[in-house]
Amino acid sequence: MTSISGDKPTTSQGEASDIERWASLIGGGAMVLMGLKQGSLRGVLTALAGGGLIYQGATKQSTIQQAQEAIGINQPIKVEKTVTINKSPEELYRFWHNFENLPTFMKHLKSVKVYDEKRSHWIANTPLGNSVQWDAEILEDRENEFISWASVEGADIDNSGFVRFQKAPGERGTEVKVVLEYNPPGGALGSTVAKLFGEEPEQQIGDELRRFKMLMETGEIATTEGQPSGRS
């Protein structure tokens, strides 16, 4: 008498990997579509992350520019600044990665509180003693190389950006590149954000990177009064 097995067929490893690949493609495609719809640097970063290309794209300026042109981005304020610091990428990344260190050299920041590996809360000073605040979320984090982030829904000022740490030619330290985008609420002009922080964003980021360089190379920041301000 012939017996018939009642066992259910099992899925082979090849089939399982195919399913995982399709799931990744679908999930990544959704992120790309969501990013492109946002029409901003945040959208580009999200789209590139969904395609698994965020690091390559962010380290090659032409890639971001091409993506922006392809989707017709009209960004209110975008700032790019680069500084060379005579320290290793590892040390600079480690200091920056703890966002609570940023107010040490970013004078417009009142405080940053890190909630977990992804989320943090930022409070920025404005003229006349006012402040604005937002929660930010890390989009991509590559140790000793790259960090990108964006504010979450409900931010007083929508913003996004990334910082890249790359060895400088000739063993001259590390090139630190920062790209930021501000989206003023209600379609306000870029001058509104400039007035909010009391100076032009490009000048502000340049000054802050110079203070970061000074802090990391000498361990202190010389104030305008000529008195040093050590690490906090």
Side-chain angles (χ1 to χ4, degrees), residues 50-195:
L53 299 174
I54 187 168
Y55 178 64
Q56 293 88 338
T59 54
K60 296 179 181 178
Q61 183 178 350
S62 60
T63 304
I64 286 185
Q65 290 176 333
Q66 291 170 4
Q68 290 171 341
E69 292 172 359
I71 60 180
I73 287 178
N74 182 18
Q75 46 191 345
I77 292 183
K78 179 183 175 184
V79 182
E80 296 187 26
K81 285 292 182 179
T82 303
V83 65
T84 300
I85 302 177
N86 190 24
K87 289 290 180 179
S88 68
E90 292 79 9
E91 184 173 354
L92 299 178
Y93 167 89
R94 187 165 56 248
F95 187 89
W96 192 296
H97 189 268
N98 181 1
F99 289 154
E100 294 182 0
N101 286 330
L102 298 185
T104 306
F105 61 91
M106 293 184 173
K107 66 180 183 179
H108 76 282
L109 284 179
K110 182 177 181 180
S111 66
V112 179
K113 180 177 178 57
V114 175
Y115 292 142
D116 52 40
E117 293 181 355
K118 289 287 187 181
R119 187 71 69 94
S120 54
H121 183 74
W122 302 56
I123 302 178
N125 294 313
T126 62
L128 303 178
N130 297 321
S131 64
V132 292
Q133 54 187 303
W134 63 89
D135 279 1
E137 188 171 71
I138 292 178
L139 299 178
E140 184 77 2
D141 185 359
R142 292 182 179 267
E143 188 174 5
N144 303 327
E145 295 178 344
F146 177 84
I147 310 169
S148 67
W149 63 88
S151 59
V152 302
E153 186 176 357
D156 289 340
I157 293 183
D158 187 34
N159 63 89
S160 57
F162 68 80
V163 57
R164 184 198 67 195
F165 306 93
Q166 183 175 357
K167 288 185 178 180
E171 299 183 355
R172 295 185 297 107
T174 302
E175 289 183 351
V176 180
K177 179 177 182 178
V178 175
V179 177
L180 296 176
E181 179 182 292
Y182 299 95
N183 295 296
L189 296 176
S191 59
T192 302
V193 174
K195 292 178 180 178

Side-chain angles (χ1 to χ4, degrees), residues 32-57:
V32 170
L33 290 174
M34 180 179 67
L36 295 178
K37 287 180 179 179
Q38 291 180 18
S40 63
L41 177 61
R42 173 209 298 269
V44 173
L45 292 172
T46 303
L48 292 173
L53 299 174
I54 187 168
Y55 178 64
Q56 293 88 338

